[in-house]
Amino acid sequence: MIISKQLVLTYLYLLIYVCLSSGVILFNKWVLSPKYFKFPFPITLTMIHMAFSGVVTFFLVRVFKVVAPVKMTFQIYATCVIPISAFFASSLWFGNTAYLYISVAFIQMLKALMPVATFIMAVLCGTDKLRWDLFLNMLLVSVGVVVSSYGEIHFNVIGTLYQVTGIFAEALRLVLTQVLLQKKGLTLNPITSLYYIAPCSFIFLFVPWYLLEKPEMDVSQIQFNYWIFFSNAVAAFALNISIFLVIGRTGAVTIRVAGVLKDWILIALSTIIFPESIITSLNIIGYAVALSGVVMYNYLKMKDVRANQLPADSTPDRTTKDKKISNIYKPDNFMDANDETAVGSLASEGAAVDEEAPLIPSSRLSYVTRTQTGSFNSR
């Protein structure tokens, strides 16, 4: 009876994660779309999310002490948190801007490039090695995305460039997380990561907001419904918490599988909610090819993880160690930006990264990999 209750609770958490993840993306599209809520200011929306997350996590960490803060020195903050926050803010900025130009379905298809971007950045930064088996998988993913793009009826170059730029910014953030934070021995959970990174990201976004969006907001009659923006920010923060809960009960692999399922559901829902979003057979074929490459890539990286693990045993010590490992905030993806070899894993994880949950998925999703490979290691 206890086991069945635990299973029910686990599946409930997974359902909540899938619903929130899909809901946040659709909600953002609805708010930003010039055809619906008509609030075409993605930087402003992102800043609202960062401000809300920063305030809530401050109360959770400092007032209610739900989680304990890490020992953060000024040097670590300046050399690690600030650059990571800059790329995190950039990935959200560009990713949200893409909603103004391309459909949710096509955005999800382009996100299949996340493993490719992370792998490229990892190789360039020297945190992963170029291997032909991984390279061929990345080539398969790229071909799938190209086919999917070719089949996009409402293809928009500007929107595609924004989304791809956001993907590479997220990939670089994952690699930086691995190189900077993990080498310092810092382990952050989704709440503490938002506690440190959200305020800094807000500051980074202020400059482009002041130069690009504030002048237009001053002269345009915008709808600023406080309840809409509050509920949107709550949904984005709740998504981070749901990822934290899911990973705590399952693991990175499970949430990645759930992420793939969520992507297919989201693509289908987006065509219903936003009728102008049309999916062609080439879209589906290309995305299926890209996902097959992502799945194979994840499989190869998990094989690497198992190969680097200590001989598994069923002793209590081993169980405890594994549990601790799974609780580490792994930035792989920074979603997956976790270990020294985790970037590869990160990349795979990256495929299932959520736009407003990059801190959590990354960390959490990143991987059990890093810890297992000796160094730890989510957008």
Side-chain angles (χ1 to χ4, degrees):
M1 193 64 179
I2 294 179
I3 294 179
S4 77
K5 286 183 179 179
Q6 291 177 344
L7 285 175
V8 169
L9 193 56
T10 298
Y11 283 116
L12 177 61
Y13 285 163
L14 283 171
L15 178 62
I16 292 174
Y17 158 70
V18 170
C19 291
L20 283 173
S21 180
S22 302
V24 167
I25 293 174
L26 294 172
F27 200 168
N28 286 348
K29 171 66 174 180
W30 180 79
V31 169
L32 294 170
S33 175
K35 294 183 179 180
Y36 298 96
F37 188 69
K38 301 178 181 179
F39 186 81
F41 302 106
I43 303 177
T44 304
L45 183 65
T46 305
M47 289 178 70
I48 291 173
H49 290 174
M50 292 299 96
F52 182 84
S53 296
V55 171
V56 173
T57 52
F58 173 82
F59 279 95
L60 292 177
V61 174
R62 292 297 181 182
V63 179
F64 301 109
K65 302 188 185 300
V66 174
V67 295
V70 301
K71 293 182 179 179
M72 182 69 68
T73 65
F74 176 78
Q75 180 184 13
I76 292 177
Y77 194 87
T79 60
C80 299
V81 174
I82 290 180
I84 288 172
S85 299
F87 284 103
F88 178 51
S90 299
S91 68
L92 292 179
W93 168 16
F94 293 128
N96 282 336
T97 302
Y99 287 123
L100 299 177
Y101 303 95
I102 55 181
S103 68
V104 170
F106 187 48
I107 285 176
Q108 293 307 117
M109 294 175 190
L110 289 176
K111 284 182 184 178
L113 284 174
M114 187 66 209
V116 178
T118 308
F119 181 66
I120 291 174
M121 291 300 177
V123 172
L124 291 178
C125 293
T127 58
D128 206 351
K129 295 180 180 179
L130 181 61
R131 289 166 39 187
W132 285 108
D133 55 349
L134 296 180
F135 176 78
L136 290 176
N137 275 290
M138 296 300 93
L139 185 61
L140 181 62
V141 172
S142 301
V143 169
V145 173
V146 169
V147 172
S148 180
S149 300
Y150 183 76
E152 177 64 17
I153 294 179
H154 302 296
F155 182 81
N156 183 286
V157 175
I158 296 177
T160 301
L161 287 177
Y162 268 119
Q163 183 59 42
V164 172
T165 302
I167 288 173
F168 275 88
E170 173 68 8
L172 187 53
R173 175 184 68 101
L174 300 183
V175 175
L176 283 178
T177 299
Q178 175 190 351
V179 172
L180 300 178
L181 278 185
Q182 293 169 13
K183 301 250 179 174
K184 304 273 185 191
L186 289 181
T187 56
L188 304 174
N189 60 41
I191 295 177
T192 53
S193 67
L194 282 172
Y195 171 71
Y196 291 109
I197 294 176
C200 192
S201 296
F202 179 90
I203 294 173
F204 272 110
L205 290 168
F206 181 81
V207 175
W209 171 80
Y210 187 83
L211 296 175
L212 300 176
E213 293 190 357
K214 183 179 182 298
E216 188 175 350
M217 294 176 72
D218 288 339
V219 298
S220 60
Q221 297 180 344
I222 61 172
Q223 301 181 55
F224 202 89
N225 187 312
Y226 289 96
W227 284 110
I228 292 292
F229 291 106
F230 176 75
S231 58
N232 184 259
V234 169
F237 185 78
L239 172 58
N240 282 313
I241 300 301
S242 72
I243 295 174
F244 178 73
L245 294 174
V246 169
I247 294 179
R249 297 192 65 87
T250 57
V253 175
T254 301
I255 202 165
R256 283 199 297 275
V257 172
V260 172
L261 174 63
K262 178 266 300 180
D263 288 341
W264 283 106
I265 293 174
L266 185 55
I267 289 174
L269 279 177
S270 66
T271 60
I272 297 173
I273 298 175
F274 306 110
E276 69 277 8
S277 179
I278 301 174
I279 297 178
T280 66
S281 57
L282 273 181
N283 284 145
I284 298 298
I285 293 172
Y287 189 52
V289 170
L291 279 186
S292 66
V294 171
V295 170
M296 284 301 300
Y297 183 77
N298 278 325
Y299 173 72
L300 290 173
K301 294 311 296 185
M302 291 309 295
K303 279 184 64 177
D304 291 344
V305 173
R306 294 193 186 96
N308 288 320
Q309 285 179 340
L310 296 174
D313 56 59
S314 57
T315 61
D317 290 342
R318 177 66 182 176
T319 302
T320 302
K321 182 184 292 185
D322 287 343
K323 185 173 182 180
K324 289 180 179 178
I325 288 175
S326 70
N327 285 331
I328 295 178
Y329 168 65
K330 301 158 188 186
D332 254 31
N333 216 330
F334 189 33
M335 254 222 131
D336 300 326
N338 297 304
D339 63 345
E340 307 261 16
T341 64
V343 169
S345 30
L346 298 183
S348 31
E349 226 176 87
V353 172
D354 285 307
E355 309 189 334
E356 283 307 333
L359 291 182
I360 290 184
S362 315
S363 20
R364 229 1 192 165
L365 302 185
S366 305
Y367 296 165
V368 196
T369 312
R370 304 171 184 166
T371 321
Q372 298 169 341
T373 52
S375 80
F376 168 63
N377 178 272
S378 342
R379 303 20 56 208

